């Protein structure tokens, strides 16, 4: 076979052909020996590549840190539960912020949610037919209360309209407002009213109530209901609801610290 010499740009003669293909001019025995050596080299190279590829495939994936909703940390926060039988409990302090009114502290409740309320309030809970336990926080003198529970209805406004049917049965019921209000999801609603007697409330006189229902970051609906005396004006109940709403973080969810 003629060979083209690329360096010289000419066809090589018979002597140069031997330099390009010396194995073609060996006898049969030597050609077979060369082929065996070539096969051995290729087999060793293939085995080495296979071992390397297998070892690379079995290397563990890099560790990933999960901090979003549904992470292990978030689950740990939601594993704690209230007593569910009306027994007293306590909430764990959460990181504080300058956005809190004076005398308020954020709390991580055993039911898994975060809320902010006045310092020194007592907590109790009872079982609910839907979602988390109904949690009540009370002032030391028993005259003020913040209630937290999960709402079954898909619309906060429709949920409040249904609740108003029962509220109208209270002695001295007087509606202040029932309306949708601007919120994070656009589905917040609020029912504000007065009543002379409310079950579970201590002290005499007309009570002032703000029942705020909303859709939280987890897509579920919750209620924050503030109870207090109507004699001292509505400002303290308004502050109680607004602060709790600002700091509310649902179970199993990680939320930013307001103002942090």
């Amino acid at each position: 076979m003629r060979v083209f010499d690329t360096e010289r740009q000419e066809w090589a003669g018979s002597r140069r052909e031997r330099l390009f293909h010396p194995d073609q001019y060996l006898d049969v025995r030597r050609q077979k020996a060369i082929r065996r050596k070539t096969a051995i080299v290729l087999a060793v190279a293939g085995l080495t590549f296979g071992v390397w590829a297998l070892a690379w495939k079995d290397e563990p994936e890099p560790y990933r840190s999960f901090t979003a909703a549904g992470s292990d940390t978030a689950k740990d926060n939601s594993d704690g539960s209230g007593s569910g039988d009306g027994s007293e409990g306590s909430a764990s302090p959460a990181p504080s912020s300058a956005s809190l009114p004076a005398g308020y502290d954020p709390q991580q409740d055993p039911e898994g949610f975060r809320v902010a309320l006045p310092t020194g309030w007592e907590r109790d809970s009872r079982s609910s037919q839907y979602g988390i336990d109904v949690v009540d926080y009370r002032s030391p003198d028993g005259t003020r209360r913040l209630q937290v529970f999960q709402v079954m209805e898909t619309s906060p406004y429709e949920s409040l309209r249904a609740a108003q049917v029962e509220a109208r049965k209270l002695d001295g019921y007087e509606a202040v407002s029932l309306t949708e209000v601007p919120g994070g999801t656009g589905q917040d609603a609020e029912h504000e009213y007065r009543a002379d007697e409310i079950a579970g409330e201590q002290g005499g006189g007309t009570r002032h109530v703000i029942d705020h229902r909303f859709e939280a970051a987890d897509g579920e609906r919750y209620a924050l209901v503030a109870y207090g005396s109507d004699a001292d004006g509505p400002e303290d109940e308004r502050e109680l609801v607004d602060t709790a709403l600002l700091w509310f973080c649902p179970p199993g969810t990680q939320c930013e610290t307001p103002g942090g």
Side-chain angles (χ1 to χ4, degrees), residues 67-90:
T67 58
S71 67
D72 291 341
T73 302
K75 290 180 179 178
D76 289 342
N77 288 339
S78 64
D79 284 342
S81 61
S83 60
D85 57 0
S87 59
E88 294 185 358
S90 61

Side-chain angles (χ1 to χ4, degrees), residues 85-126:
D85 57 0
S87 59
E88 294 185 358
S90 61
S92 302
S96 185
S97 171
S99 65
L100 281 170
Y104 278 72
D105 283 322
Q107 303 289 334
Q108 190 68 38
D109 192 87
E111 281 298 298
F113 62 83
R114 183 190 69 190
V115 72
L117 62 150
T119 306
W121 281 31
E122 299 177 351
R123 175 195 184 276
D124 60 22
S125 64
R126 61 184 184 275

Side-chain angles (χ1 to χ4, degrees), residues 204-255:
T206 303
R207 312 297 291 171
H208 175 237
V209 183
I210 300 178
D211 186 342
H212 190 102
R213 305 193 181 191
F214 61 100
E215 183 174 308
D218 61 352
E220 298 292 335
R221 274 71 53 196
Y222 297 87
L224 297 169
V225 190
Y227 300 86
S229 173
D230 186 56
D232 57 2
E235 290 79 11
D236 48 357
E237 284 79 53
R238 172 56 58 194
E239 182 182 70
L240 191 59
V241 167
D242 289 350
T243 304
L245 181 63
L246 177 64
W247 278 81
F248 186 83
C249 184
T253 306
Q254 289 190 348
C255 307

Side-chain angles (χ1 to χ4, degrees), residues 134-217:
V134 177
V135 179
D136 286 299
Y137 299 98
R138 292 184 181 275
S139 61
D141 61 4
T143 60
R144 300 176 64 200
R145 174 165 60 118
L146 176 68
Q147 187 176 79
V148 184
F149 58 91
Q150 194 166 345
V151 176
M152 180 172 59
E153 294 84 0
T154 57
S155 167
Y157 182 71
E158 292 302 322
S159 177
L160 281 178
R161 290 190 63 181
Q164 187 186 35
V165 173
E166 297 301 319
R168 286 172 176 168
K169 300 176 183 179
L170 299 172
D171 292 342
Y173 171 81
E174 178 188 355
V176 176
S177 65
L178 174 60
T179 182
E180 292 183 293
V181 296
T185 64
Q187 295 186 10
D188 291 29
E190 191 171 273
H191 179 205
E192 183 176 2
Y193 62 93
R194 302 181 183 91
D196 292 339
E197 184 177 359
I198 298 177
E201 286 300 291
Q202 302 177 20
T206 303
R207 312 297 291 171
H208 175 237
V209 183
I210 300 178
D211 186 342
H212 190 102
R213 305 193 181 191
F214 61 100
E215 183 174 308

